[in-house]
Amino acid sequence: MFFSWKHLLSRHCLALFAGTTILIAGGEAKAQVIPGTGTRIDGSWDDFEDESWEYITNLPKSSTNVDKDTRYPLGQSTNGVWTESAKRGQPDVVQRVPTPEGGLPGSKSSLLLKSLHTGVPGHGSRSSNQDDLIMTGSMVSVAYSPSVVTRVYLPPFEEWEDKTGTSFGFRAAVKAPMKSGSSSRRRFFRSSPSTKIETIYLGMFIQFNSKTDSPNGEDSAMFVVRADSSGQDFIGPEIKQTGWWTLGMSFTPDGRTHYYAKPGVEPLTQADRFASHYPYGTQIQSFHTAFFNVCNQDNGRTWSTEWIIDDPAMYYISR
């Protein structure tokens, strides 16, 4: 059914509508599974309510993607749910904080994520970079309709890092058969494209559009989603209000990925699905983990937007 995912990847009580047919882009999706359906996976969720919760940073953090320096030991939480990305490193601040107003009923604590140096620790790169915080995951076949849900607090636009671009990501690592995509010529022979099972990284980014770059002089934000059937990022819903949002992704036996988002903290519903795709034109075989991106312009002076998450959890449906 599912197995503990011990080698974490390098960075980069709802209803099941079984038998329902839903018209979506690119065809039909049967048995849509709303994120949060079924059984919560042990060790793959966190509510941050434990007062002894702590994150051990083990600085300096990794920046393998920039300078090929993986700095062990990696940062990790004392409850074993969270780990630093070996490729890009963890956010500079990973801190348990009081839950902002309007959060889940009964929630007293959430997790704050923000970064100054998203590239090499202590050095500005003068280009956008990201840090990643990874949840301890479990390999779950799509036969068990795995899904992941989180709540995210979006601060007022005036408190966001003043740049147009990606600010945050809610991501998933899955495996699927992928073609090599290109052939090579050796003398008079051409090799055929091969197919192998690879890890691909899907999810929802939040892009901020600063009023300093806007023709109408207003701040705005929107979701940018990875990926459609051609492997391209596509535009998701416009973010018309800040505060708490509920985000989710589900992975169904037909190999599709389904994306959900709504303002507020209420459970997701069928109406909150805004896209379904065979990402990269392939069929997902298994879900492995979820992770969060924190992005900034990495100039050594400007902090990222402060992101707060609560109650991230992974689920599967027992057969």
Side-chain angles (χ1 to χ4, degrees):
M1 185 173 64
F2 64 89
F3 307 91
S4 176
W5 194 32
K6 297 183 181 298
H7 300 290
L8 292 171
L9 292 173
S10 296
R11 290 228 293 191
H12 202 30
C13 337
L14 307 175
L16 167 64
F17 289 83
T20 301
T21 300
I22 303 161
L23 186 63
I24 61 173
E28 293 182 342
K30 294 185 178 180
Q32 179 190 176
V33 175
I34 300 169
T37 299
T39 302
R40 190 168 61 184
I41 300 174
D42 289 342
S44 297
W45 62 275
D46 204 341
D47 61 10
F48 312 110
E49 294 300 313
D50 186 349
E51 293 184 1
S52 67
W53 194 99
E54 187 178 3
Y55 189 84
I56 309 301
T57 55
N58 291 324
L59 298 175
K61 65 184 182 182
S62 288
S63 53
T64 310
N65 64 312
V66 179
D67 61 359
K68 303 187 185 304
D69 194 347
T70 305
R71 302 176 181 90
Y72 292 105
L74 301 176
Q76 59 183 354
S77 61
T78 52
N79 65 0
V81 176
W82 302 95
T83 188
E84 174 185 356
S85 163
K87 184 176 182 180
R88 293 191 174 92
Q90 67 219 347
D92 291 332
V93 176
V94 181
Q95 181 182 353
R96 182 173 171 265
V97 296
T99 298
E101 183 179 358
L104 284 165
S107 176
K108 296 181 180 180
S109 299
S110 301
L111 192 67
L112 169 68
L113 307 174
K114 68 175 182 178
S115 284
L116 178 62
H117 298 289
T118 50
V120 178
H123 298 275
S125 66
R126 298 181 183 179
S127 63
S128 295
N129 272 307
Q130 71 185 55
D131 288 326
D132 298 348
L133 189 66
I134 303 173
M135 292 184 73
T136 298
S138 296
M139 188 284 285
V140 186
S141 166
V142 295
Y144 296 93
S145 300
S147 64
V148 59
V149 180
T150 193
R151 273 74 180 184
V152 181
Y153 180 75
L154 282 60
F157 285 149
E158 58 266 24
E159 297 178 13
W160 292 40
E161 180 191 11
D162 188 15
K163 76 177 184 78
T164 294
T166 302
S167 185
F168 178 81
F170 172 47
R171 310 288 304 284
V174 301
K175 287 197 174 183
M178 298 290 288
K179 292 184 179 180
S180 60
S182 62
S183 58
S184 61
R185 182 184 296 274
R186 293 184 179 179
R187 296 184 179 180
F188 301 105
F189 300 96
R190 185 183 297 271
S191 62
S192 300
S194 61
T195 300
K196 63 179 181 179
I197 304 301
E198 296 184 3
T199 301
I200 57 178
Y201 303 97
L202 309 177
M204 291 177 271
F205 300 99
I206 293 179
Q207 176 171 312
F208 184 55
N209 301 311
S210 172
K211 62 184 178 183
T212 58
D213 301 316
S214 171
N216 61 11
E218 295 182 355
D219 290 329
S220 65
M222 62 185 181
F223 290 99
V224 178
V225 187
R226 182 164 300 168
D228 65 14
S229 59
S230 66
Q232 299 299 308
D233 293 355
F234 62 94
I235 302 300
E238 181 183 359
I239 297 172
K240 297 182 179 180
Q241 67 183 74
T242 54
W244 284 101
W245 280 68
T246 301
L247 311 181
M249 291 175 278
S250 64
F251 310 90
T252 45
D254 62 1
R256 292 183 191 264
T257 301
H258 309 271
Y259 303 92
Y260 294 69
K262 69 185 302 181
V265 296
E266 294 298 318
L268 293 165
T269 69
Q270 180 180 352
D272 302 320
R273 183 193 59 82
F274 65 85
S276 296
H277 282 285
Y278 289 120
Y280 297 94
T282 188
Q283 291 180 286
I284 304 302
Q285 292 188 349
S286 57
F287 165 78
H288 289 254
T289 196
F291 58 103
F292 295 91
N293 305 144
V294 174
C295 313
N296 79 338
Q297 52 194 315
D298 195 31
N299 59 14
R301 304 182 306 275
T302 307
W303 281 88
S304 72
T305 302
E306 291 191 353
W307 293 99
I308 296 177
I309 62 172
D310 200 10
D311 274 38
M314 305 178 195
Y315 296 82
Y316 74 100
I317 298 176
S318 180
R319 302 295 185 186

